[in-house]
PDB file of all heavy atoms in Angstrom:
ATOM      1  N   LEU A 132      16.964  15.399   6.264  1.00 94.00           N
ATOM      2  CA  LEU A 132      16.249  15.597   5.004  1.00 94.00           C
ATOM      3  C   LEU A 132      16.366  14.372   4.116  1.00 94.00           C
ATOM      4  O   LEU A 132      15.366  13.888   3.568  1.00 94.00           O
ATOM      5  CB  LEU A 132      16.797  16.836   4.291  1.00 94.00           C
ATOM      6  CG  LEU A 132      16.428  18.190   4.909  1.00 94.00           C
ATOM      7  CD1 LEU A 132      17.136  19.316   4.168  1.00 94.00           C
ATOM      8  CD2 LEU A 132      14.921  18.407   4.866  1.00 94.00           C
ATOM      9  N   ALA A 133      17.579  13.865   3.955  1.00 95.00           N
ATOM     10  CA  ALA A 133      17.773  12.699   3.097  1.00 95.00           C
ATOM     11  C   ALA A 133      16.966  11.514   3.610  1.00 95.00           C
ATOM     12  O   ALA A 133      16.267  10.835   2.836  1.00 95.00           O
ATOM     13  CB  ALA A 133      19.261  12.337   3.032  1.00 95.00           C
ATOM     14  N   ASN A 134      17.034  11.250   4.903  1.00 96.00           N
ATOM     15  CA  ASN A 134      16.323  10.096   5.457  1.00 96.00           C
ATOM     16  C   ASN A 134      14.813  10.230   5.340  1.00 96.00           C
ATOM     17  O   ASN A 134      14.107   9.233   5.170  1.00 96.00           O
ATOM     18  CB  ASN A 134      16.726   9.895   6.916  1.00 96.00           C
ATOM     19  CG  ASN A 134      18.146   9.382   7.051  1.00 96.00           C
ATOM     20  OD1 ASN A 134      18.654   8.708   6.172  1.00 96.00           O
ATOM     21  ND2 ASN A 134      18.787   9.711   8.163  1.00 96.00           N
ATOM     22  N   ARG A 135      14.313  11.450   5.396  1.00 97.00           N
ATOM     23  CA  ARG A 135      12.864  11.617   5.247  1.00 97.00           C
ATOM     24  C   ARG A 135      12.410  11.389   3.810  1.00 97.00           C
ATOM     25  O   ARG A 135      11.306  10.886   3.570  1.00 97.00           O
ATOM     26  CB  ARG A 135      12.459  13.001   5.736  1.00 97.00           C
ATOM     27  CG  ARG A 135      12.530  13.107   7.256  1.00 97.00           C
ATOM     28  CD  ARG A 135      12.180  14.463   7.789  1.00 97.00           C
ATOM     29  NE  ARG A 135      12.247  14.479   9.246  1.00 97.00           N
ATOM     30  CZ  ARG A 135      11.980  15.528   9.996  1.00 97.00           C
ATOM     31  NH1 ARG A 135      11.620  16.677   9.412  1.00 97.00           N
ATOM     32  NH2 ARG A 135      12.063  15.461  11.322  1.00 97.00           N
ATOM     33  N   PHE A 136      13.249  11.744   2.858  1.00 97.00           N
ATOM     34  CA  PHE A 136      12.898  11.440   1.469  1.00 97.00           C
ATOM     35  C   PHE A 136      12.911   9.930   1.235  1.00 97.00           C
ATOM     36  O   PHE A 136      12.062   9.403   0.510  1.00 97.00           O
ATOM     37  CB  PHE A 136      13.862  12.136   0.508  1.00 97.00           C
ATOM     38  CG  PHE A 136      13.557  13.600   0.314  1.00 97.00           C
ATOM     39  CD1 PHE A 136      14.460  14.573   0.721  1.00 97.00           C
ATOM     40  CD2 PHE A 136      12.364  14.005  -0.254  1.00 97.00           C
ATOM     41  CE1 PHE A 136      14.180  15.926   0.554  1.00 97.00           C
ATOM     42  CE2 PHE A 136      12.063  15.353  -0.426  1.00 97.00           C
ATOM     43  CZ  PHE A 136      12.980  16.314  -0.014  1.00 97.00           C
ATOM     44  N   LEU A 137      13.879   9.234   1.836  1.00 97.00           N
ATOM     45  CA  LEU A 137      13.887   7.778   1.706  1.00 97.00           C
ATOM     46  C   LEU A 137      12.667   7.179   2.398  1.00 97.00           C
ATOM     47  O   LEU A 137      12.060   6.225   1.891  1.00 97.00           O
ATOM     48  CB  LEU A 137      15.174   7.209   2.304  1.00 97.00           C
ATOM     49  CG  LEU A 137      15.305   5.684   2.241  1.00 97.00           C
ATOM     50  CD1 LEU A 137      15.177   5.177   0.811  1.00 97.00           C
ATOM     51  CD2 LEU A 137      16.621   5.233   2.851  1.00 97.00           C
ATOM     52  N   ALA A 138      12.288   7.728   3.547  1.00 97.00           N
ATOM     53  CA  ALA A 138      11.083   7.258   4.237  1.00 97.00           C
ATOM     54  C   ALA A 138       9.852   7.445   3.358  1.00 97.00           C
ATOM     55  O   ALA A 138       8.984   6.562   3.270  1.00 97.00           O
ATOM     56  CB  ALA A 138      10.917   8.000   5.561  1.00 97.00           C
ATOM     57  N   ALA A 139       9.770   8.590   2.680  1.00 97.00           N
ATOM     58  CA  ALA A 139       8.636   8.842   1.784  1.00 97.00           C
ATOM     59  C   ALA A 139       8.621   7.842   0.641  1.00 97.00           C
ATOM     60  O   ALA A 139       7.550   7.349   0.239  1.00 97.00           O
ATOM     61  CB  ALA A 139       8.720  10.266   1.231  1.00 97.00           C
ATOM     62  N   LEU A 140       9.797   7.514   0.110  1.00 97.00           N
ATOM     63  CA  LEU A 140       9.868   6.533  -0.973  1.00 97.00           C
ATOM     64  C   LEU A 140       9.400   5.168  -0.496  1.00 97.00           C
ATOM     65  O   LEU A 140       8.632   4.480  -1.186  1.00 97.00           O
ATOM     66  CB  LEU A 140      11.302   6.455  -1.492  1.00 97.00           C
ATOM     67  CG  LEU A 140      11.573   5.436  -2.604  1.00 97.00           C
ATOM     68  CD1 LEU A 140      10.706   5.725  -3.825  1.00 97.00           C
ATOM     69  CD2 LEU A 140      13.052   5.438  -2.988  1.00 97.00           C
ATOM     70  N   LEU A 141       9.829   4.766   0.691  1.00 97.00           N
ATOM     71  CA  LEU A 141       9.417   3.474   1.230  1.00 97.00           C
ATOM     72  C   LEU A 141       7.909   3.414   1.452  1.00 97.00           C
ATOM     73  O   LEU A 141       7.254   2.421   1.108  1.00 97.00           O
ATOM     74  CB  LEU A 141      10.147   3.201   2.549  1.00 97.00           C
ATOM     75  CG  LEU A 141      11.596   2.747   2.437  1.00 97.00           C
ATOM     76  CD1 LEU A 141      12.262   2.782   3.805  1.00 97.00           C
ATOM     77  CD2 LEU A 141      11.675   1.358   1.834  1.00 97.00           C
ATOM     78  N   VAL A 142       7.358   4.480   2.015  1.00 98.00           N
ATOM     79  CA  VAL A 142       5.901   4.504   2.245  1.00 98.00           C
ATOM     80  C   VAL A 142       5.158   4.436   0.918  1.00 98.00           C
ATOM     81  O   VAL A 142       4.152   3.718   0.782  1.00 98.00           O
ATOM     82  CB  VAL A 142       5.512   5.765   3.029  1.00 98.00           C
ATOM     83  CG1 VAL A 142       3.987   5.915   3.066  1.00 98.00           C
ATOM     84  CG2 VAL A 142       6.064   5.703   4.445  1.00 98.00           C
ATOM     85  N   GLY A 143       5.648   5.163  -0.090  1.00 97.00           N
ATOM     86  CA  GLY A 143       5.002   5.127  -1.401  1.00 97.00           C
ATOM     87  C   GLY A 143       5.011   3.739  -2.017  1.00 97.00           C
ATOM     88  O   GLY A 143       4.006   3.294  -2.598  1.00 97.00           O
ATOM     89  N   VAL A 144       6.130   3.037  -1.894  1.00 97.00           N
ATOM     90  CA  VAL A 144       6.218   1.678  -2.445  1.00 97.00           C
ATOM     91  C   VAL A 144       5.291   0.734  -1.675  1.00 97.00           C
ATOM     92  O   VAL A 144       4.619  -0.117  -2.269  1.00 97.00           O
ATOM     93  CB  VAL A 144       7.671   1.172  -2.410  1.00 97.00           C
ATOM     94  CG1 VAL A 144       7.741  -0.288  -2.859  1.00 97.00           C
ATOM     95  CG2 VAL A 144       8.560   2.029  -3.309  1.00 97.00           C
ATOM     96  N   VAL A 145       5.248   0.884  -0.356  1.00 97.00           N
ATOM     97  CA  VAL A 145       4.346   0.051   0.445  1.00 97.00           C
ATOM     98  C   VAL A 145       2.896   0.287   0.035  1.00 97.00           C
ATOM     99  O   VAL A 145       2.102  -0.664  -0.099  1.00 97.00           O
ATOM    100  CB  VAL A 145       4.542   0.332   1.948  1.00 97.00           C
ATOM    101  CG1 VAL A 145       3.413  -0.304   2.771  1.00 97.00           C
ATOM    102  CG2 VAL A 145       5.885  -0.202   2.412  1.00 97.00           C
ATOM    103  N   LEU A 146       2.527   1.537  -0.187  1.00 97.00           N
ATOM    104  CA  LEU A 146       1.161   1.833  -0.631  1.00 97.00           C
ATOM    105  C   LEU A 146       0.874   1.195  -1.974  1.00 97.00           C
ATOM    106  O   LEU A 146      -0.238   0.695  -2.219  1.00 97.00           O
ATOM    107  CB  LEU A 146       0.953   3.345  -0.711  1.00 97.00           C
ATOM    108  CG  LEU A 146       0.828   4.079   0.622  1.00 97.00           C
ATOM    109  CD1 LEU A 146       0.776   5.589   0.399  1.00 97.00           C
ATOM    110  CD2 LEU A 146      -0.423   3.616   1.376  1.00 97.00           C
ATOM    111  N   MET A 147       1.866   1.168  -2.858  1.00 96.00           N
ATOM    112  CA  MET A 147       1.684   0.545  -4.167  1.00 96.00           C
ATOM    113  C   MET A 147       1.463  -0.962  -4.041  1.00 96.00           C
ATOM    114  O   MET A 147       0.709  -1.558  -4.817  1.00 96.00           O
ATOM    115  CB  MET A 147       2.909   0.833  -5.033  1.00 96.00           C
ATOM    116  CG  MET A 147       2.820   0.260  -6.435  1.00 96.00           C
ATOM    117  SD  MET A 147       4.294   0.696  -7.389  1.00 96.00           S
ATOM    118  CE  MET A 147       4.015  -0.279  -8.879  1.00 96.00           C
ATOM    119  N   ILE A 148       2.111  -1.583  -3.051  1.00 97.00           N
ATOM    120  CA  ILE A 148       1.951  -3.022  -2.827  1.00 97.00           C
ATOM    121  C   ILE A 148       0.616  -3.346  -2.161  1.00 97.00           C
ATOM    122  O   ILE A 148       0.040  -4.419  -2.377  1.00 97.00           O
ATOM    123  CB  ILE A 148       3.117  -3.550  -1.952  1.00 97.00           C
ATOM    124  CG1 ILE A 148       4.444  -3.406  -2.696  1.00 97.00           C
ATOM    125  CG2 ILE A 148       2.904  -5.001  -1.541  1.00 97.00           C
ATOM    126  CD1 ILE A 148       5.656  -3.741  -1.841  1.00 97.00           C
ATOM    127  N   THR A 149       0.099  -2.407  -1.379  1.00 97.00           N
ATOM    128  CA  THR A 149      -1.075  -2.675  -0.539  1.00 97.00           C
ATOM    129  C   THR A 149      -2.293  -3.208  -1.289  1.00 97.00           C
ATOM    130  O   THR A 149      -2.955  -4.148  -0.808  1.00 97.00           O
ATOM    131  CB  THR A 149      -1.454  -1.404   0.247  1.00 97.00           C
ATOM    132  OG1 THR A 149      -0.361  -1.046   1.098  1.00 97.00           O
ATOM    133  CG2 THR A 149      -2.695  -1.627   1.097  1.00 97.00           C
ATOM    134  N   PRO A 150      -2.664  -2.659  -2.474  1.00 95.00           N
ATOM    135  CA  PRO A 150      -3.842  -3.224  -3.157  1.00 95.00           C
ATOM    136  C   PRO A 150      -3.701  -4.714  -3.458  1.00 95.00           C
ATOM    137  O   PRO A 150      -4.703  -5.449  -3.432  1.00 95.00           O
ATOM    138  CB  PRO A 150      -3.916  -2.402  -4.454  1.00 95.00           C
ATOM    139  CG  PRO A 150      -3.261  -1.116  -4.119  1.00 95.00           C
ATOM    140  CD  PRO A 150      -2.154  -1.470  -3.174  1.00 95.00           C
ATOM    141  N   TYR A 151      -2.484  -5.156  -3.735  1.00 94.00           N
ATOM    142  CA  TYR A 151      -2.274  -6.581  -3.990  1.00 94.00           C
ATOM    143  C   TYR A 151      -2.253  -7.363  -2.682  1.00 94.00           C
ATOM    144  O   TYR A 151      -2.738  -8.500  -2.625  1.00 94.00           O
ATOM    145  CB  TYR A 151      -0.975  -6.780  -4.770  1.00 94.00           C
ATOM    146  CG  TYR A 151      -1.141  -6.432  -6.229  1.00 94.00           C
ATOM    147  CD1 TYR A 151      -1.165  -5.115  -6.650  1.00 94.00           C
ATOM    148  CD2 TYR A 151      -1.321  -7.434  -7.179  1.00 94.00           C
ATOM    149  CE1 TYR A 151      -1.348  -4.784  -7.978  1.00 94.00           C
ATOM    150  CE2 TYR A 151      -1.495  -7.117  -8.517  1.00 94.00           C
ATOM    151  CZ  TYR A 151      -1.512  -5.790  -8.906  1.00 94.00           C
ATOM    152  OH  TYR A 151      -1.713  -5.473 -10.229  1.00 94.00           O
ATOM    153  N   THR A 152      -1.711  -6.779  -1.624  1.00 96.00           N
ATOM    154  CA  THR A 152      -1.710  -7.452  -0.325  1.00 96.00           C
ATOM    155  C   THR A 152      -3.134  -7.746   0.132  1.00 96.00           C
ATOM    156  O   THR A 152      -3.464  -8.870   0.512  1.00 96.00           O
ATOM    157  CB  THR A 152      -1.003  -6.577   0.733  1.00 96.00           C
ATOM    158  OG1 THR A 152       0.315  -6.265   0.297  1.00 96.00           O
ATOM    159  CG2 THR A 152      -0.941  -7.291   2.070  1.00 96.00           C
ATOM    160  N   ILE A 153      -3.972  -6.724   0.090  1.00 95.00           N
ATOM    161  CA  ILE A 153      -5.351  -6.927   0.543  1.00 95.00           C
ATOM    162  C   ILE A 153      -6.199  -7.612  -0.525  1.00 95.00           C
ATOM    163  O   ILE A 153      -7.169  -8.296  -0.214  1.00 95.00           O
ATOM    164  CB  ILE A 153      -5.993  -5.595   0.970  1.00 95.00           C
ATOM    165  CG1 ILE A 153      -6.129  -4.633  -0.210  1.00 95.00           C
ATOM    166  CG2 ILE A 153      -5.191  -4.959   2.097  1.00 95.00           C
ATOM    167  CD1 ILE A 153      -6.830  -3.320   0.142  1.00 95.00           C
ATOM    168  N   GLY A 154      -5.808  -7.439  -1.792  1.00 93.00           N
ATOM    169  CA  GLY A 154      -6.564  -8.078  -2.870  1.00 93.00           C
ATOM    170  C   GLY A 154      -6.437  -9.589  -2.829  1.00 93.00           C
ATOM    171  O   GLY A 154      -7.433 -10.319  -2.964  1.00 93.00           O
ATOM    172  N   TYR A 155      -5.203 -10.088  -2.648  1.00 93.00           N
ATOM    173  CA  TYR A 155      -5.005 -11.533  -2.544  1.00 93.00           C
ATOM    174  C   TYR A 155      -5.689 -12.110  -1.316  1.00 93.00           C
ATOM    175  O   TYR A 155      -6.013 -13.299  -1.278  1.00 93.00           O
ATOM    176  CB  TYR A 155      -3.513 -11.869  -2.494  1.00 93.00           C
ATOM    177  CG  TYR A 155      -2.783 -11.596  -3.785  1.00 93.00           C
ATOM    178  CD1 TYR A 155      -1.545 -10.956  -3.776  1.00 93.00           C
ATOM    179  CD2 TYR A 155      -3.317 -11.977  -5.007  1.00 93.00           C
ATOM    180  CE1 TYR A 155      -0.860 -10.700  -4.961  1.00 93.00           C
ATOM    181  CE2 TYR A 155      -2.648 -11.718  -6.193  1.00 93.00           C
ATOM    182  CZ  TYR A 155      -1.414 -11.086  -6.158  1.00 93.00           C
ATOM    183  OH  TYR A 155      -0.747 -10.838  -7.331  1.00 93.00           O
ATOM    184  N   ALA A 156      -5.924 -11.271  -0.290  1.00 94.00           N
ATOM    185  CA  ALA A 156      -6.598 -11.732   0.929  1.00 94.00           C
ATOM    186  C   ALA A 156      -8.117 -11.660   0.807  1.00 94.00           C
ATOM    187  O   ALA A 156      -8.835 -12.076   1.721  1.00 94.00           O
ATOM    188  CB  ALA A 156      -6.139 -10.910   2.131  1.00 94.00           C
ATOM    189  N   GLY A 157      -8.627 -11.102  -0.310  1.00 93.00           N
ATOM    190  CA  GLY A 157     -10.072 -11.083  -0.537  1.00 93.00           C
ATOM    191  C   GLY A 157     -10.782  -9.822  -0.108  1.00 93.00           C
ATOM    192  O   GLY A 157     -12.022  -9.788  -0.072  1.00 93.00           O
ATOM    193  N   PHE A 158     -10.043  -8.755   0.175  1.00 95.00           N
ATOM    194  CA  PHE A 158     -10.682  -7.530   0.651  1.00 95.00           C
ATOM    195  C   PHE A 158     -11.583  -6.905  -0.406  1.00 95.00           C
ATOM    196  O   PHE A 158     -12.661  -6.398  -0.088  1.00 95.00           O
ATOM    197  CB  PHE A 158      -9.614  -6.513   1.074  1.00 95.00           C
ATOM    198  CG  PHE A 158      -9.132  -6.696   2.485  1.00 95.00           C
ATOM    199  CD1 PHE A 158      -8.276  -7.738   2.797  1.00 95.00           C
ATOM    200  CD2 PHE A 158      -9.547  -5.838   3.485  1.00 95.00           C
ATOM    201  CE1 PHE A 158      -7.827  -7.906   4.095  1.00 95.00           C
ATOM    202  CE2 PHE A 158      -9.102  -6.004   4.790  1.00 95.00           C
ATOM    203  CZ  PHE A 158      -8.231  -7.048   5.100  1.00 95.00           C
ATOM    204  N   TYR A 159     -11.149  -6.909  -1.659  1.00 94.00           N
ATOM    205  CA  TYR A 159     -11.946  -6.253  -2.697  1.00 94.00           C
ATOM    206  C   TYR A 159     -13.234  -7.024  -2.988  1.00 94.00           C
ATOM    207  O   TYR A 159     -14.236  -6.431  -3.405  1.00 94.00           O
ATOM    208  CB  TYR A 159     -11.121  -6.090  -3.972  1.00 94.00           C
ATOM    209  CG  TYR A 159     -10.094  -4.980  -3.870  1.00 94.00           C
ATOM    210  CD1 TYR A 159      -8.764  -5.265  -3.610  1.00 94.00           C
ATOM    211  CD2 TYR A 159     -10.470  -3.649  -3.998  1.00 94.00           C
ATOM    212  CE1 TYR A 159      -7.819  -4.258  -3.500  1.00 94.00           C
ATOM    213  CE2 TYR A 159      -9.544  -2.629  -3.886  1.00 94.00           C
ATOM    214  CZ  TYR A 159      -8.215  -2.932  -3.628  1.00 94.00           C
ATOM    215  OH  TYR A 159      -7.291  -1.930  -3.508  1.00 94.00           O
ATOM    216  N   ASP A 160     -13.207  -8.342  -2.765  1.00 92.00           N
ATOM    217  CA  ASP A 160     -14.446  -9.119  -2.920  1.00 92.00           C
ATOM    218  C   ASP A 160     -15.407  -8.835  -1.771  1.00 92.00           C
ATOM    219  O   ASP A 160     -16.618  -8.718  -1.971  1.00 92.00           O
ATOM    220  CB  ASP A 160     -14.127 -10.618  -2.960  1.00 92.00           C
ATOM    221  CG  ASP A 160     -13.326 -10.997  -4.191  1.00 92.00           C
ATOM    222  OD1 ASP A 160     -13.513 -10.336  -5.240  1.00 92.00           O
ATOM    223  OD2 ASP A 160     -12.506 -11.927  -4.104  1.00 92.00           O
ATOM    224  N   ALA A 161     -14.845  -8.701  -0.567  1.00 94.00           N
ATOM    225  CA  ALA A 161     -15.692  -8.463   0.614  1.00 94.00           C
ATOM    226  C   ALA A 161     -16.114  -7.005   0.720  1.00 94.00           C
ATOM    227  O   ALA A 161     -17.228  -6.703   1.183  1.00 94.00           O
ATOM    228  CB  ALA A 161     -14.952  -8.892   1.878  1.00 94.00           C
ATOM    229  N   TYR A 162     -15.244  -6.102   0.294  1.00 95.00           N
ATOM    230  CA  TYR A 162     -15.521  -4.663   0.421  1.00 95.00           C
ATOM    231  C   TYR A 162     -15.254  -3.981  -0.925  1.00 95.00           C
ATOM    232  O   TYR A 162     -14.234  -3.299  -1.098  1.00 95.00           O
ATOM    233  CB  TYR A 162     -14.637  -4.039   1.502  1.00 95.00           C
ATOM    234  CG  TYR A 162     -14.680  -4.769   2.824  1.00 95.00           C
ATOM    235  CD1 TYR A 162     -13.578  -5.496   3.266  1.00 95.00           C
ATOM    236  CD2 TYR A 162     -15.817  -4.737   3.630  1.00 95.00           C
ATOM    237  CE1 TYR A 162     -13.602  -6.168   4.473  1.00 95.00           C
ATOM    238  CE2 TYR A 162     -15.858  -5.406   4.841  1.00 95.00           C
ATOM    239  CZ  TYR A 162     -14.747  -6.126   5.260  1.00 95.00           C
ATOM    240  OH  TYR A 162     -14.785  -6.791   6.454  1.00 95.00           O
ATOM    241  N   PRO A 163     -16.125  -4.124  -1.880  1.00 94.00           N
ATOM    242  CA  PRO A 163     -15.878  -3.550  -3.211  1.00 94.00           C
ATOM    243  C   PRO A 163     -15.750  -2.032  -3.216  1.00 94.00           C
ATOM    244  O   PRO A 163     -15.209  -1.454  -4.158  1.00 94.00           O
ATOM    245  CB  PRO A 163     -17.092  -4.010  -4.022  1.00 94.00           C
ATOM    246  CG  PRO A 163     -18.137  -4.368  -3.010  1.00 94.00           C
ATOM    247  CD  PRO A 163     -17.400  -4.867  -1.819  1.00 94.00           C
ATOM    248  N   TRP A 164     -16.232  -1.378  -2.146  1.00 95.00           N
ATOM    249  CA  TRP A 164     -16.108   0.084  -2.086  1.00 95.00           C
ATOM    250  C   TRP A 164     -14.648   0.540  -1.992  1.00 95.00           C
ATOM    251  O   TRP A 164     -14.342   1.727  -2.172  1.00 95.00           O
ATOM    252  CB  TRP A 164     -16.902   0.639  -0.900  1.00 95.00           C
ATOM    253  CG  TRP A 164     -16.565   0.008   0.426  1.00 95.00           C
ATOM    254  CD1 TRP A 164     -17.186  -1.050   1.015  1.00 95.00           C
ATOM    255  CD2 TRP A 164     -15.512   0.412   1.312  1.00 95.00           C
ATOM    256  NE1 TRP A 164     -16.604  -1.358   2.211  1.00 95.00           N
ATOM    257  CE2 TRP A 164     -15.564  -0.465   2.420  1.00 95.00           C
ATOM    258  CE3 TRP A 164     -14.547   1.399   1.293  1.00 95.00           C
ATOM    259  CZ2 TRP A 164     -14.673  -0.374   3.497  1.00 95.00           C
ATOM    260  CZ3 TRP A 164     -13.659   1.507   2.353  1.00 95.00           C
ATOM    261  CH2 TRP A 164     -13.723   0.627   3.432  1.00 95.00           C
TER     262      TRP A 164
END
């Protein structure tokens, strides 16, 4: 149980970083949708 909550926290933080990861690579300019 504890490890799955930590896994959920890690996935949530990664998702929060993702818009900047793909944004700096130009995804939002190429795919504004």
Side-chain angles (χ1 to χ4, degrees):
L132 288 175
N134 289 332
R135 288 178 179 181
F136 281 116
L137 180 56
L140 178 59
L141 283 169
V142 170
V144 175
V145 168
L146 287 174
M147 181 178 173
I148 295 173
T149 298
Y151 283 77
T152 304
I153 65 177
Y155 292 135
F158 275 75
Y159 285 100
D160 294 329
Y162 309 110
W164 54 267

